[in-house]
């Protein structure tokens, strides 16, 4: 992978930990300069310092705030460079059954997961279109494809991201910009580590490949889509879910 993205600048939202951090590490390992953007300011800076190579930097920003996004993008373009690769990964859950879901639980999840991706896409696309070069990846979810009880808000945000991916892909294709989505299934994180053995067995029973994925499995799919091997691929959803959605 080393050297494959030399000279490129990548921006990863929600890059301070979890899947976003794995993606940031993979991009840096391929020699991209990486801007780690997260609402957790200190963790974003610590994460950027952990990446290989030089020129990586952490930035504090709430993706749901359009003005903060514009400010962060200007600062990134000034300090790291014009953004060639945008990974919209920041996401939250506020799970509850439909009848118990509060308005603010719905609105907050849409604001971060869907509007946040819109905010960064609109901000970064301007430069990409001018340079006639750019790649955007939206981190969706299997839940956006097949739904999940207790996640009406989250599933709607992720299905929305898939629609947005296809519209942006169609709109920007003639300007040299590609846009794809990656839809992870159940990925092993501290959250899933905390499940009981019985819960893990039940979960694995829903996955044809019989095991949870890792953040690196998601990062591998992202690395394929951002690189030259995917130059003829846009508007697609690549599932990384052990076969859950097929
Ligand atoms: P995580 O909670 O470990 O990491 C999310 C990151 O986003 C955190 O660093 C958090 O501080 C940041 N963030 C949250 N709200 C933000 C905001 N308003 N502005 C800027 N940054 C913000 O989550 P994880 O598991 O790494 O998930 C990453 C993405 O992958 C999310 O979009 C999630 O929906 C998606 N995903 C995760 C799956 C899983 O099993 N973990 C499965 C399918 C999709």
């Amino acid at each position: 992978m080393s050297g494959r993205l030399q000279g490129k600048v990548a921006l990863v939202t929600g890059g301070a930990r979890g899947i976003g951090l794995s993606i940031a590490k993979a991009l840096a390992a391929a020699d991209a300069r990486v801007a780690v953007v997260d609402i957790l300011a200190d963790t974003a800076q610590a994460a950027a310092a952990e990446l290989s190579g030089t020129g990586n930097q952490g930035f504090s920003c709430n993706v749901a705030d359009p003005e903060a996004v514009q400010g962060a993008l200007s600062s990134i373009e000034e300090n790291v460079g014009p953004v060639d690769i945008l990974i919209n990964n920041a996401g939250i859950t506020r799970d509850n059954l439909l009848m118990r879901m509060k308005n603010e639980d719905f609105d907050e999840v849409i604001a971060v997961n869907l509007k946040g991706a819109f905010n960064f896409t609109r901000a970064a696309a301007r430069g990409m279109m001018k340079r006639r070069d750019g790649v955007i990846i939206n981190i969706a979810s299997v839940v956006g494809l097949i739904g999940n009880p207790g996640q009406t808000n989250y599933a709607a945000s992720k299905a929305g991201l898939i629609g947005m991916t296809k519209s942006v892909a169609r709109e920007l294709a003639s300007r040299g910009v590609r846009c794809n989505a990656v839809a992870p299934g159940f990925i092993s994180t501290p959250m899933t580590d905390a499940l009981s053995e019985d819960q893990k067995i039940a979960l694995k029973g829903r996955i044809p490949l019989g095991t949870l994925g890792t953040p690196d499995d998601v990062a591998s799919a992202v690395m394929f889509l951002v690189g030259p091997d995917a130059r003829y691929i846009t508007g697609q959803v690549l599932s990384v879910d052990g076969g859950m959605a097929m």
Side-chain angles (χ1 to χ4, degrees):
M1 282 288 195
S2 174
R4 204 161 65 102
L5 299 179
Q6 183 122 42
K8 300 280 186 195
V9 170
L11 188 169
V12 185
T13 70
R17 67 172 190 222
I19 292 171
L21 179 57
S22 280
I23 295 170
K25 282 181 177 167
L27 290 163
D31 287 347
R33 289 199 306 285
V34 182
V36 175
V37 172
D38 208 285
I39 201 162
L40 306 170
D42 293 348
T43 324
Q45 260 147 36
E50 218 185 287
L51 304 180
S52 57
T54 53
N56 308 304
Q57 272 190 51
F59 296 84
S60 147
C61 173
N62 177 1
V63 299
D65 176 347
E67 282 174 19
V69 166
Q70 196 48 63
L73 192 88
S74 303
S75 174
I76 289 164
E77 303 225 308
E78 201 173 303
N79 292 289
V80 187
V83 175
D84 303 294
I85 299 167
L86 168 66
I87 315 291
N88 286 310
N89 163 82
I92 57 168
T93 52
R94 295 285 182 271
D95 298 352
N96 218 331
L97 295 173
L98 177 63
M99 290 303 145
R100 293 190 192 146
M101 190 168 284
K102 298 195 178 87
N103 288 328
E104 49 270 34
D105 293 337
F106 192 88
D107 294 345
E108 216 181 321
V109 166
I110 299 293
V112 175
N113 299 9
L114 185 55
K115 183 81 187 305
F118 167 76
N119 289 336
F120 259 108
T121 299
R122 187 178 52 183
R126 187 184 304 277
M128 289 178 176
M129 287 192 290
K130 261 195 213 140
R131 295 186 295 277
R132 303 193 74 77
D133 187 30
V135 188
I136 301 166
I137 307 288
N138 294 319
I139 305 299
S141 167
V142 64
V143 161
L145 294 167
I146 66 173
N148 201 23
Q151 291 199 306
T152 303
N153 50 359
Y154 183 79
S157 74
K158 296 300 188 178
L161 261 185
I162 290 170
M164 198 166 86
T165 300
K166 294 179 183 181
S167 295
V168 170
R170 285 188 187 278
E171 197 171 317
L172 303 190
S174 63
R175 319 293 287 271
V177 179
R178 296 186 295 110
C179 180
N180 291 290
V182 170
F186 291 119
I187 303 300
S188 199
T189 60
M191 194 177 75
T192 42
D193 291 346
L195 295 175
S196 71
E197 248 348 275
D198 283 354
Q199 283 172 315
K200 279 188 193 161
I201 289 166
L203 198 59
K204 287 177 185 170
R206 295 175 58 195
I207 307 171
L209 285 179
T211 182
L212 271 66
T214 67
D216 286 347
D217 290 327
V218 181
S220 298
V222 169
M223 290 309 288
F224 164 64
L225 287 172
V226 301
D229 291 345
R231 59 176 282 274
Y232 201 52
I233 300 177
T234 197
Q236 302 305 305
V237 184
L238 179 51
S239 288
V240 182
D241 63 2
M244 282 184 77
M246 62 168 92

